[in-house]
């Protein structure tokens, strides 16, 4: 309980003809209010009369403090609700932390030992699919996590193998049911993610191959997806194993050839690369594409 404040108020009232003045002094130590009446008689002498009145300042202060506390709690709860993820990706996050290195190397054997958790996570994706009221960030996080989890599951279903291309039509197999529909990787990439008009998705989804942008070892969330994609874009474009960049000559990943239209919606490909490249690339730089290594990213 806060200590009551000392309030000292002087009110001077000049009454015509009587020459009477009144000063009110209120001291709220806890429950007492004191009123001082000052009068001047006909001889000029001052007469002082004190009056004390009980007040409920302690109770009033308590009520104010309780109201302030409730308001603060409501504000905290509201803020928490507003920042809550609409989908919980914590299971997928734990699997990534345990089985993917910082460089993106994937321990498929580790995933295989926990394939029950992986498939439970994929099943949970089907019980809480994106709705109209989901934000762009919520949807991006959901579908990129779904794509990557399904890609890992596809590899587990076909081990042992050296490359995802050893699998018959790997991107066309409808193996995963979300809601009432069976999905394949091709549909998620081309009919959903690419139509969200964010070319950075190509740095976030992984094709289980060495030349792909490395698989991130943490799940995407709505709160972090923008920062994650910015980091992945810069990391991939400046990765000398995937792209060789100088001011006047660039050798690029075929990702920039296959999905060239996605990177040219707001300018040229060079313009897009210069947003993230450590070296300023000339608009006249010679361009070529590297061979794509489809070996498994393990």
């Amino acid at each position: 309980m806060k200590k009551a404040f000392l309030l000292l108020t002087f009110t001077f009232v000049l009454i015509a003809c009587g020459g009477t003045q009144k000063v009110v002094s209120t001291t709220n130590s806890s429950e007492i209010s004191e009123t001082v009446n000052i009068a001047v008689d006909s001889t000029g002498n001052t007469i002082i009369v004190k009056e004390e009145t009980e007040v409920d300042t302690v109770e009033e202060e308590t009520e104010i403090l309780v109201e302030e506390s409730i308001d603060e709690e409501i504000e905290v709860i509201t803020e928490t609700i507003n920042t809550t993820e609409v989908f919980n990706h914590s299971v997928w996050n734990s699997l990534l932390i345990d089985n993917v290195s910082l460089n993106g190397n994937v321990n498929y054997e580790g995933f295989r030992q926990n394939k029950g958790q992986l498939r439970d996570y994929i099943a949970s994706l089907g019980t809480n699919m994106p709705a109209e009221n989901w934000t762009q960030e919520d949807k991006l996080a959901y579908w990129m996590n779904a794509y990557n989890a399904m890609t890992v599951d596809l590899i587990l279903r076909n081990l042992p193998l050296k490359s995802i291309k050893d699998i018959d039509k790997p991107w066309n197999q409808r193996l995963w049911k979300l809601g009432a529909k069976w999905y394949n990787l091709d549909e998620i990439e081309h009919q959903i993610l690419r139509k969200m008009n964010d070319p950075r998705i190509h740095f976030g989804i992984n094709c289980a191959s060495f030349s792909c942008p490395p698989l991130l070892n943490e799940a995407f969330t709505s709160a972090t997806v923008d920062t994650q994609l910015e980091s992945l874009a810069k990391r991939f474009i400046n990765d000398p194993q995937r792209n060789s960049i100088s001011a006047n000559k660039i050798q690029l990943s075929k990702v920039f050839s296959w999905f060239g239209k996605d990177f040219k919606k707001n300018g040229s490909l060079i313009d897009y690369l210069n947003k993230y490249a450590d070296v300023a690339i000339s608009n006249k730089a010679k361009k070529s594409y590297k061979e794509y290594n489809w070996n498994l990213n393990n």
Side-chain angles (χ1 to χ4, degrees):
M1 177 62 65
K2 298 178 180 177
K3 294 182 179 180
F5 294 102
L6 181 61
L7 303 176
L8 186 59
T9 306
F10 296 100
T11 304
F12 297 94
V13 180
L14 181 61
I15 306 296
C17 300
T20 302
Q21 298 178 354
K22 183 178 181 180
V23 178
V24 179
S25 174
T26 304
T27 303
N28 292 335
S29 59
S30 59
E31 298 177 337
I32 303 299
S33 174
E34 182 180 89
T35 300
V36 180
N37 291 307
I38 301 176
V40 180
D41 64 11
S42 59
T43 63
N45 294 323
T46 302
I47 303 171
I48 299 176
V49 180
K50 295 183 181 180
E51 295 178 0
E52 293 184 350
T53 305
E54 292 186 1
V55 293
D56 297 325
T57 57
V58 175
E59 289 76 12
E60 289 174 359
E61 184 183 12
T62 301
E63 289 176 4
I64 293 171
L65 290 175
V66 169
E67 289 176 0
E68 289 177 351
S69 177
I70 292 173
D71 289 341
E72 290 173 359
E73 289 180 10
I74 291 173
E75 192 173 327
V76 170
I77 292 170
T78 302
E79 184 177 349
T80 302
I81 291 172
N82 290 338
T83 58
T84 299
E85 298 287 329
V86 295
F87 193 97
N88 186 346
H89 297 287
S90 59
V91 172
W92 177 233
N93 188 66
S94 296
L95 288 170
L96 288 169
I97 291 172
D98 291 342
N99 298 295
V100 181
S101 72
L102 292 174
N103 293 327
N105 297 324
V106 182
N107 178 8
Y108 287 105
E109 178 58 27
F111 271 115
R112 189 186 67 79
Q113 293 176 8
N114 294 281
K115 66 181 180 182
Q117 292 182 43
L118 174 63
R119 289 176 184 167
D120 285 345
Y121 168 72
I122 294 173
S124 72
L125 291 168
T127 64
N128 185 15
M129 295 188 67
E132 290 184 4
N133 63 341
W134 283 30
T135 65
Q136 173 90 345
E137 291 76 18
D138 285 319
K139 294 174 183 176
L140 274 173
Y142 176 97
W143 286 113
M144 286 194 296
N145 285 332
Y147 186 98
N148 289 337
M150 292 173 183
T151 299
V152 171
D153 186 48
L154 177 68
I155 299 300
L156 298 185
R157 290 169 183 261
N158 291 276
L159 287 175
L161 75 165
K162 293 183 178 180
S163 169
I164 191 172
K165 297 195 80 173
D166 293 339
I167 303 170
D168 182 43
K169 298 179 179 178
W171 295 285
N172 298 108
Q173 296 190 22
R174 294 189 179 276
L175 301 173
W176 307 279
K177 188 177 183 182
L178 304 180
K181 182 177 179 179
W182 291 86
Y183 285 82
N184 62 29
L185 296 171
D186 214 33
E187 182 173 5
I188 294 174
E189 180 177 12
H190 299 291
Q191 300 303 316
I192 299 174
L193 283 169
R194 290 184 69 191
K195 288 186 176 181
M196 297 178 76
N197 296 316
D198 190 336
R200 298 176 303 172
I201 61 107
H202 296 297
F203 311 125
I205 57 177
N206 182 268
C207 65
S209 304
F210 178 80
S211 286
C212 287
L215 180 61
L216 186 64
N217 70 331
E218 63 183 20
F220 295 105
T221 71
S222 65
T224 59
V225 65
D226 184 65
T227 301
Q228 289 168 318
L229 288 178
E230 281 293 285
S231 176
L232 289 172
K234 186 171 182 63
R235 172 182 173 184
F236 181 71
I237 288 171
N238 293 288
D239 183 347
Q241 292 184 300
R242 275 85 179 183
N243 301 281
S244 298
I245 293 178
S246 64
N248 298 306
K249 183 179 179 181
I250 53 176
Q251 288 181 297
L252 301 176
S253 164
K254 285 188 177 178
V255 166
F256 295 107
S257 174
W258 296 330
F259 308 109
K261 290 182 180 179
D262 295 356
F263 297 104
K264 298 175 185 177
K265 289 184 177 180
N266 296 305
S268 68
L269 177 58
I270 298 296
D271 291 335
Y272 190 86
L273 293 171
N274 273 330
K275 289 173 61 178
Y276 301 100
D278 292 336
V279 176
I281 306 169
S282 168
N283 289 325
K284 297 180 180 180
K286 293 182 179 180
K287 180 178 62 179
S288 61
Y289 294 98
K290 290 175 174 279
E291 278 298 314
Y292 209 80
N293 185 345
W294 287 102
N295 287 334
L296 210 61
N297 58 343
N298 55 6

